[in-house]
Amino acid sequence: MFFHPMDFLIIIAFGLSMWASFRVRGTFNKWSNVPVYSRMTGAEAARRMLDANGLYDVPVEAVPGTLTDHYDPMARTVRLSEPVYFQSSISAVSVACHEVGHAIQHQVHYPMLVARHKMFPVVNFASGVAPILILAGFFFQSIPWLLEIGIIFFAVAVAFQLVTLPVEFNASNRARNEMVAQGFISNEEERGVAKVLNAAALTYVAAALISVLELLKYIMIFNGRNNDD
């Protein structure tokens, strides 16, 4: 009941997720010590990239913490962690421009971002209810629809994570193109930028992989019960 062959793959995926988390912090710290040739801070790079795309009304704010950077679509604000906001490094400029990439996606109505925003209210509910229903389905096997509905809700949450992947990769691509085109970085610094952005992207890939494997596990359990009946 509590162990399934898929658990082995899930454990491996969790290991990958932990490694990705350590890697993103290590990569960020490493390239935080490498000054960017343009001498721009993360805040300056974000402001220039926003202005270059006509987003003059989108503010750039500093927030406490490390790697707390994000774009708030409700407030239409780019929020950068203090190390990114104030530092002039490859890490700071890379992360800042990535978040501006999301603001540009919002401006041009990037389809995957639009889909992600529309899914959010449903996912917020589904992700909270799914674990309860799935757990109840395991303990109350005489009520098979509990597990079935739980799997459906969990699938919605997994779909949200999968939609997030192209959103993040697209934002990074926009950032890299803009940074080169506007002279924020030199050609030699592209390697460092790629390492910072790729490390961050890997955390999303690992999280999505875990969710997909868990979903497959629940589907296999559900199908196995139906075959036994």
Side-chain angles (χ1 to χ4, degrees):
M1 176 180 176
F2 294 102
F3 181 80
H4 189 273
M6 287 293 291
D7 287 334
F8 179 71
L9 293 178
I10 292 173
I11 291 172
I12 293 176
F14 267 112
L16 174 63
S17 178
M18 293 179 63
W19 174 78
S21 296
F22 282 117
R23 185 185 175 192
V24 71
R25 289 186 176 276
T27 303
F28 178 84
N29 291 336
K30 174 183 177 180
W31 292 97
S32 289
N33 295 319
V34 180
V36 67
Y37 101 100
S38 64
R39 303 299 178 185
M40 298 176 67
T41 64
E44 291 169 342
R47 182 72 270 156
R48 283 187 55 179
M49 186 170 164
L50 286 166
D51 292 348
N53 287 274
L55 294 171
Y56 307 104
D57 58 338
V58 175
V60 181
E61 299 177 351
V63 293
T66 302
L67 298 177
T68 51
D69 314 88
H70 63 281
Y71 169 67
D72 184 344
M74 300 298 294
R76 295 192 73 239
T77 300
V78 173
R79 297 196 171 102
L80 304 177
S81 60
E82 291 177 348
V84 169
Y85 189 95
F86 293 107
Q87 284 184 8
S88 173
S89 68
I90 288 180
S91 284
V93 173
S94 299
V95 172
C97 290
H98 172 87
E99 298 307 331
V100 174
H102 288 308
I104 296 173
Q105 289 175 335
H106 194 181
Q107 177 196 35
V108 301
H109 303 290
Y110 176 59
M112 301 305 287
L113 183 68
V114 172
R116 190 174 183 272
H117 288 170
K118 289 182 177 179
M119 291 173 66
F120 184 77
V122 178
V123 171
N124 199 32
F125 171 77
S127 60
V129 173
I132 298 172
L133 290 173
I134 290 173
L135 188 62
F138 284 148
F139 283 101
F140 302 103
Q141 297 187 27
S142 59
I143 313 177
W145 59 266
L146 285 174
L147 181 57
E148 184 176 9
I149 295 178
I151 289 173
I152 292 172
F153 281 148
F154 189 71
V156 173
V158 172
F160 182 80
Q161 287 189 302
L162 293 177
V163 168
T164 296
L165 293 180
V167 172
E168 294 300 325
F169 283 116
N170 180 265
S172 290
N173 288 337
R174 291 176 188 272
R176 291 171 66 174
N177 292 338
E178 292 270 352
M179 292 166 72
V180 172
Q182 297 186 36
F184 296 173
I185 59 172
S186 65
N187 292 333
E188 292 75 17
E189 291 173 325
E190 285 189 65
R191 172 176 166 272
V193 170
K195 285 186 174 294
V196 172
L197 296 178
N198 290 341
L202 186 59
T203 61
Y204 291 97
V205 173
L209 178 60
I210 292 171
S211 296
V212 169
L213 291 174
E214 288 182 335
L215 177 61
L216 290 175
K217 170 187 171 180
Y218 298 141
I219 291 173
M220 291 170 66
I221 291 173
F222 181 76
N223 289 338
R225 287 184 180 179
N226 287 343
N227 293 334
D228 291 339
D229 293 341

